[in-house]
Amino acid sequence: MIIDDVTQRAALTRTTRWHRLLPSFAAVGGDLVVMTLVILAAGLGRARLPIFNETGDVDNLVAAAAIPLAVGWVVFLAVHGAYAPHVMGAGTAEYKAVVRGTLVAAGATGIVSFLWKLEFSRGFFFLLIIVGVPALVLGRHLVRRAVHGLRRRGHLTLAVLVAGSPAQVDEITGVLERESWLGYRVLGAVVPSGERVERTPGGVPVIGTTLATAAVAEETECDIVLFAGGAVTSAQEMRRVAWQLTDSGTQIMVVPSLTDVASDRVRVRPAAGLQLMELEGARAQAATRVSKRLFDLVGASAIIVLLSPVLLVTALAIKLHDGGPVFFRQRRVGRDGETFECWKFRSMVVDADRLLHTVAATNGHGVDHVLFKAADDPRITKPGRWIRRFSLDELPQLVNVVRGEMSLVGPRPPLPEEVDRYSDDMRRRLLVRPGMTGLWQVSGRSDLSWDDAVRLDLYYVDNWSLVQDLAILAKTMSAVVSARGAY
């Protein structure tokens, strides 16, 4: 009965198996649209912007070169792997391939123009590259978001058979279900022959043993067989299973016993037929270096200057509403367990702490629920509604950033009573400065569970990079505007 049920579910996915190539097709189409607009914009800019000299025959040149430029651009992107299915939809490899292919295409265009003595406008060429790179990256990002949205709604999915011990199967399945935007739908599991169970502890149906992986894959016609820890007992057994799966067209994936590790911390080194996986150490120390501190200091100071009118208007609205204090100050725990006074704009009534027990009980939480927030908290003042709606209450923390107590990006600043209940793993959050925003903020804010917030904070600590900080700040703007999880 289990195999029949799994086969029926796999049939739903098989009808859309060609969809694994759809993101690549969408990327090609999106790139062509972006390239056309960029070429037109570069030609218009060269002809209209006063910084350039007389335009000459730029219009005729653009009309003649538009199609060759667009086609050649796409070819160079394809050669550099920008349309490869395995880089689409996740990670930074796709964006790197786009930038690399564009720069090589620019170099090739310059060489061809020189050798053939083409009268190619340098201003047009300059605008083409300066506008083209960010426009293509943005276009890819929009295509990726559209694909992720479809996958979350159950479209463009691939049927996955997970091979491994029941515990490993449940761990991998949990990650794939949580990150539904990946588009991997687990049909069932194959486990070692010594495991005689119909379902894993997490409820994944067990279809067969790992020795019969090829037969099960053929019967279910799954798209991917994903080998987790404990799937095979030797390299020879793994090789045999791979041989058996070769003719089926089923994709083989191997998952090491690693989760929440950024791809740029992992390198594969072939040695005597072995694929050695080198794991770079955690980057907690890198997140405390001078470069990050300088980035925080300059960034926070600039934001204070730019948003000074907003800060002033917000402070006046709070003061004029009830005459109470403008700021709310609370003891928080920073790097290495040092406490500091965290500043916020006050968005609640003055005696909000006294009403905490009543509001928590009304919303079904105990007072020890460290992430407690109520969507309709009666303690929130009228100006506090829009202050929280756009996260303006967090802006005074810019002062904490300038003083070195916080960072622009980092783990959520915990309360001392939270830290008292930390496990050893959770204490790793204290290795870096807490942040005004972080992965927890751009991934759901108040809608996140406590376990998810901790997991995201630990991921940030172990995988820090300045590029990731910039990406989080950009996503924070989107999260604030959409008010996703804000209350």
Side-chain angles (χ1 to χ4, degrees):
M1 292 297 293
I2 291 179
I3 187 69
D4 290 340
D5 179 60
V6 170
T7 303
Q8 290 175 4
R9 285 190 289 157
L12 297 176
T13 304
R14 286 200 303 273
T15 58
T16 60
R17 181 175 286 186
W18 66 274
H19 283 163
R20 73 172 64 185
L21 297 177
L22 188 59
S24 296
F25 294 148
V28 173
D31 286 351
L32 285 172
V33 171
V34 170
M35 290 171 188
T36 301
L37 295 175
V38 168
I39 291 172
L40 293 175
L44 184 63
R46 173 63 183 87
R48 301 289 186 271
L49 291 177
I51 61 174
F52 299 111
N53 296 325
E54 291 184 12
T55 61
D57 60 348
V58 170
D59 291 341
N60 295 331
L61 176 63
V62 171
I67 294 178
L69 275 175
V71 173
W73 206 339
V74 169
V75 170
F76 275 102
L77 292 182
V79 169
H80 284 81
Y83 303 114
H86 68 274
V87 305
M88 304 298 296
T92 60
E94 178 184 357
Y95 300 132
K96 291 178 181 178
V98 168
V99 175
R100 189 167 55 247
T102 298
L103 295 180
V104 173
T109 302
I111 292 173
V112 170
S113 299
F114 174 76
L115 293 178
W116 287 7
K117 297 181 179 180
L118 298 176
E119 295 295 330
F120 208 68
S121 169
R122 285 172 292 181
F124 171 74
F125 184 73
F126 172 77
L127 292 174
L128 192 69
I129 302 306
I130 294 299
V131 177
V133 171
L136 277 175
V137 171
L138 177 60
R140 286 301 187 94
H141 176 67
L142 295 177
V143 170
R144 177 177 290 193
R145 290 193 62 175
V147 171
H148 289 177
L150 289 171
R151 286 172 174 170
R152 288 190 181 98
R153 290 190 288 272
H155 305 294
L156 308 183
T157 59
L158 298 174
V160 178
L161 182 68
V162 184
S165 66
Q168 287 285 341
V169 168
D170 283 343
E171 183 174 358
I172 297 301
T173 300
V175 173
L176 296 183
E177 290 179 348
R178 183 181 71 224
E179 310 297 340
S180 58
W181 55 269
L182 288 169
Y184 296 140
R185 187 162 59 91
V186 176
L187 298 177
V190 289
V191 299
S193 55
E195 302 282 353
R196 301 187 179 278
V197 292
E198 290 191 357
R199 292 183 179 273
T200 66
V204 179
V206 175
I207 308 172
T209 65
T210 51
L211 294 176
T213 299
V216 175
E218 182 179 0
E219 187 170 359
T220 61
E221 296 188 36
C222 63
D223 297 294
I224 299 170
V225 175
L226 196 153
F227 290 90
V232 293
T233 58
S234 66
Q236 187 177 18
E237 183 181 341
M238 179 71 216
R239 190 164 60 249
R240 287 192 188 124
V241 174
W243 287 340
Q244 294 168 0
L245 289 169
T246 300
D247 296 332
S248 66
T250 303
Q251 188 176 355
I252 301 171
M253 292 186 178
V254 180
V255 180
S257 298
L258 294 172
T259 57
D260 294 329
V261 176
S263 59
D264 58 352
R265 286 180 56 205
V266 179
R267 290 181 291 271
V268 177
R269 291 191 175 186
L274 295 175
Q275 298 299 317
L276 303 179
M277 181 174 292
E278 179 184 356
L279 177 63
E280 180 186 320
R283 295 175 176 173
Q285 292 301 319
T288 63
R289 291 177 182 167
V290 175
S291 58
K292 181 170 172 63
R293 177 63 189 137
L294 183 62
F295 173 76
D296 288 336
L297 187 59
V298 173
S301 300
I303 295 173
I304 289 175
V305 173
L306 290 174
L307 296 185
S308 54
V310 177
L311 296 172
L312 179 60
V313 170
T314 304
L316 286 174
I318 296 170
K319 192 66 178 179
L320 294 175
H321 175 69
D322 58 12
V326 170
F327 299 105
F328 171 75
R329 292 175 288 184
Q330 191 176 44
R331 300 299 296 176
R332 297 281 178 142
V333 179
R335 194 178 76 180
D336 298 328
E338 296 290 331
T339 60
F340 67 96
E341 201 166 56
C342 182
W343 288 59
K344 286 187 176 186
F345 278 130
R346 182 174 60 87
S347 60
M348 290 187 174
V349 295
V350 177
D351 58 347
D353 289 340
R354 185 175 58 82
L355 302 174
L356 175 62
H357 289 75
T358 302
V359 177
T362 302
N363 286 270
H365 293 291
V367 292
D368 61 341
H369 192 278
V370 294
L371 288 183
F372 166 72
K373 280 190 178 182
D376 297 311
D377 196 324
R379 299 174 298 166
I380 300 177
T381 63
K382 187 174 181 180
R385 296 287 177 189
W386 58 266
I387 288 174
R388 289 192 169 207
R389 164 67 173 76
F390 295 105
S391 295
L392 299 179
D393 55 326
E394 312 285 350
L395 291 180
Q397 293 172 21
L398 290 166
V399 176
N400 293 117
V401 175
V402 171
R403 292 168 58 177
E405 299 161 336
M406 293 181 65
S407 175
L408 289 175
V409 182
R412 187 182 62 84
L415 295 165
E417 52 266 32
E418 293 178 48
V419 176
D420 291 341
R421 287 174 282 175
Y422 274 6
S423 64
D424 290 340
D425 288 348
M426 292 163 63
R427 286 188 176 274
R428 290 189 59 80
R429 301 169 81 197
L430 305 180
L431 294 177
V432 301
R433 292 184 182 90
M436 289 183 62
T437 185
L439 280 176
W440 51 274
Q441 169 112 344
V442 300
S443 301
R445 302 166 82 181
S446 302
D447 294 333
L448 285 176
S449 68
W450 168 247
D451 289 339
D452 282 340
V454 171
R455 175 180 59 81
L456 291 171
D457 281 346
L458 293 180
Y459 179 92
Y460 175 84
V461 171
D462 288 342
N463 300 285
W464 175 84
S465 72
L466 191 57
V467 172
Q468 181 181 226
D469 276 5
L470 291 171
I472 290 172
L473 287 172
K475 290 181 179 179
T476 298
M477 295 303 298
S478 174
V480 169
V481 170
S482 64
R484 190 169 61 249
Y487 48 79

